[in-house]
Amino acid sequence: MPIINSEMGPIGVFDSGYGGLTILEGIRKRLPQYSYIYLGDNARAPYGTRSFDVVYEFTLQAVKKLFSFGCPLIILGCNTASAKALRTIQQQYLPLHAPDRRVLGVIRPTVEAIGSISSTRHIGVLATEGTIKSESYKLEIEKLYPDSTIVGQACPMWVSLVENSEFNRPGADYFVKDSLEKLLSQDPLIDTIILGCTHFPLLLDKINQQLNNLTTSLNREAGGRAPIQVISQGEYIATSLEDYLKRHPEINQRLIQDGTCQYFTSESPTKFRECASLFLNEDITAQHVALA
Ligand code: DGL
């Protein structure tokens, strides 16, 4: 178990499973000097089809656990948790129970980055059913860019493909193509697709390949349109966090800077180690943690 210290601590990164590793990777690339704790609730993933109440309850349990490990700052590296639990944690839990600690999400920083990426302002969002139904992306994008047209498509199978290490096998192609077709049929003018689920960058090769096939058949290039850009969140969350820490020295000075990273899972540490090592391209070890 990590040393608990009420003053100094690591940055906590939480996800329902492996997806938040894509966020952690982006953050560690840009901010390698900090100490990190990753927590995956793999035993209860996926969160995407769960109700608001359940996602809130599970996310709060994870936040409390990371606080007990001494984290002064937690990133919810999960869009579903950011959409369904972040606001209530920030507005109701923190002021009463942990006023000196911070919890941040991944939706707002992604939306802020979109402004410099999309030129048509026709934006597609691929995410879990929970994130799409919450309309969090649509509402946040419309707040910043009122002239936008936003369409969303839930991809019910994609998280399971990733959690079960099926993401680079041929069977995944069908599900990737199916969801992309459904998204593009809602708005053929889309120039930017946000991967609004942290699991989805693991499917990026397949997404680009299928998108290329689909847009070629739609003859988009002949129409003079630029290729569709697919946005993974990792680098944008990292830039946004760097900026946040510059603006909040009172949090920054409480973060341990020793370049270490520890991994915790509510599932089997052996299983987590095997899968996470695959995603991260490095050998890691993990420890079990009970969430309740
Ligand atoms: N990786 C998560 C997200 O960004 C959640 C996936 C899930 O557990 O359904 O939405």
Side-chain angles (χ1 to χ4, degrees), residues 69-121:
F69 290 166
C71 298
L73 173 66
I74 295 170
I75 312 295
L76 299 184
C78 174
N79 290 269
T80 309
S82 298
K84 292 184 161 183
L86 177 65
R87 188 170 297 223
T88 316
I89 288 174
Q90 286 176 333
Q91 294 179 353
Q92 292 177 22
Y93 182 79
L94 291 185
L96 284 178
H97 302 281
D100 60 336
R101 307 203 189 199
R102 296 292 175 267
V103 179
L104 305 174
V106 288
I107 294 179
R108 181 74 190 206
T110 309
V111 168
E112 281 169 357
I114 279 296
S116 54
I117 298 169
S118 170
S119 48
T120 65
R121 291 277 200 266

Side-chain angles (χ1 to χ4, degrees), residues 180-181 184 188 190-191 193 207-223 225-229:
L180 285 172
E181 270 174 349
L184 292 181
I190 289 169
D191 78 340
I193 295 177
I207 293 169
N208 280 326
Q209 198 185 333
Q210 293 297 336
L211 203 52
N212 192 32
N213 297 346
L214 286 168
T215 51
T216 304
S217 65
L218 286 171
N219 206 10
R220 294 178 73 97
E221 314 288 18
R225 229 169 259 141
I228 297 172
Q229 304 185 71

Side-chain angles (χ1 to χ4, degrees), residues 15-17 19-20 45-49 77-81 106 128 131 159 196-199 233:
D15 183 48
S16 60
Y47 279 15
T49 47
C78 174
N79 290 269
T80 309
V106 288
T128 64
T131 302
V159 171
C197 172
T198 54
H199 282 67
Q233 298 173 290

